[in-house]
Amino acid sequence: MATVWGVLVEAQRLPWSFTPFERVGPLEFGMTHDQVQAAVHGALSVAVSQGTSGSDGWAEFWPERRTDASFSGPAVTTYYDESIGLAGIAVNALRGPQVTLEGMRLVGQTPSRLEDEFTDYLVAHSRELRYSQCADPCSPQLGLVLRAQRAGDVVLSRPVMVAKAWADRCWDTSEGRIPTREWKTFEW
């Protein structure tokens, strides 16, 4: 039976890596919605989308049906910008791929522990740490915001990675380019 709060174990997650301003797993910033669909074909499929044909918009990708998983819901949300194509990628904490940045696991982690690891990483690489108005740690130099998402009675990390054009003020919930829709996502 499917459960709305089911969380994948690491072995069930697709393994993706993050290269800032270039790609997240098979997804490259700047892709069209059709190219994104082709890149994840067989692993993820579009469940719902709005305004993705050559304009600003978004799409939710759900895992393809798997017999070993008792979960239901989105895995990845993509955000598009009319001028650049794929501009933002949010990975669902419960059932999204495991995205790594130089070995650091970004998805489905305890937010406070990940924040400590992220801060150490930024200091070691002389990068700036910023916080959103929601207290989400962020690095505009990486185009990465580490949001929190509800998983039943706990919260887990939900990374949002953006293209270079969206990195300036990516921590700013009111003046940044990340859509309001993303900042309001806390539940599944």
Side-chain angles (χ1 to χ4, degrees):
M1 178 163 148
T3 173
V4 72
W5 299 118
V7 178
L8 292 176
V9 296
E10 286 298 309
Q12 292 175 308
R13 293 183 186 270
L14 296 169
W16 287 8
S17 62
F18 170 48
T19 304
F21 308 124
E22 290 181 28
R23 66 182 322 117
V24 179
L27 306 179
E28 295 179 27
F29 291 109
M31 285 179 150
T32 66
H33 178 63
D34 289 342
Q35 290 170 326
V36 168
Q37 284 183 284
V40 298
H41 180 74
L44 303 174
S45 60
V46 174
V48 62
S49 65
Q50 179 178 319
T52 56
S53 298
S55 66
D56 297 345
W58 56 270
E60 281 187 355
F61 289 82
W62 287 34
E64 294 284 338
R65 288 275 178 215
R66 293 173 32 189
T67 58
D68 65 336
S70 61
F71 60 90
S72 175
V76 174
T77 303
T78 53
Y79 296 101
Y80 302 90
D81 184 300
E82 184 175 17
S83 62
I84 60 174
L86 180 61
I89 302 163
V91 180
N92 189 286
L94 285 66
R95 59 197 61 86
Q98 181 53 263
V99 178
T100 57
L101 172 65
E102 295 186 35
M104 182 173 25
R105 293 181 303 149
L106 303 177
V107 180
Q109 306 303 303
T110 302
S112 60
R113 289 187 188 136
L114 181 57
E115 180 179 355
D116 290 344
E117 187 177 359
F118 185 56
T119 301
D120 291 345
Y121 175 88
L122 294 177
V123 168
H125 291 84
S126 302
R127 305 262 196 233
E128 178 183 16
L129 175 65
R130 300 295 301 254
Y131 286 91
S132 74
Q133 291 94 323
C134 302
D136 300 311
C138 170
S139 171
Q141 291 130 340
L142 298 174
L144 175 60
V145 182
L146 297 176
R147 301 199 55 246
Q149 179 181 346
R150 182 177 176 198
D153 292 336
V154 300
V155 294
L156 298 172
S157 60
R158 173 190 177 91
V160 179
M161 291 130 301
V162 298
K164 193 168 209 82
W166 280 21
D168 181 44
R169 303 183 72 89
C170 63
W171 67 89
D172 194 323
T173 64
S174 60
E175 295 181 14
R177 301 289 306 272
I178 295 172
T180 302
R181 178 182 194 280
E182 175 59 35
W183 293 114
K184 294 184 179 211
T185 298
F186 184 69
E187 298 180 358
W188 83 304

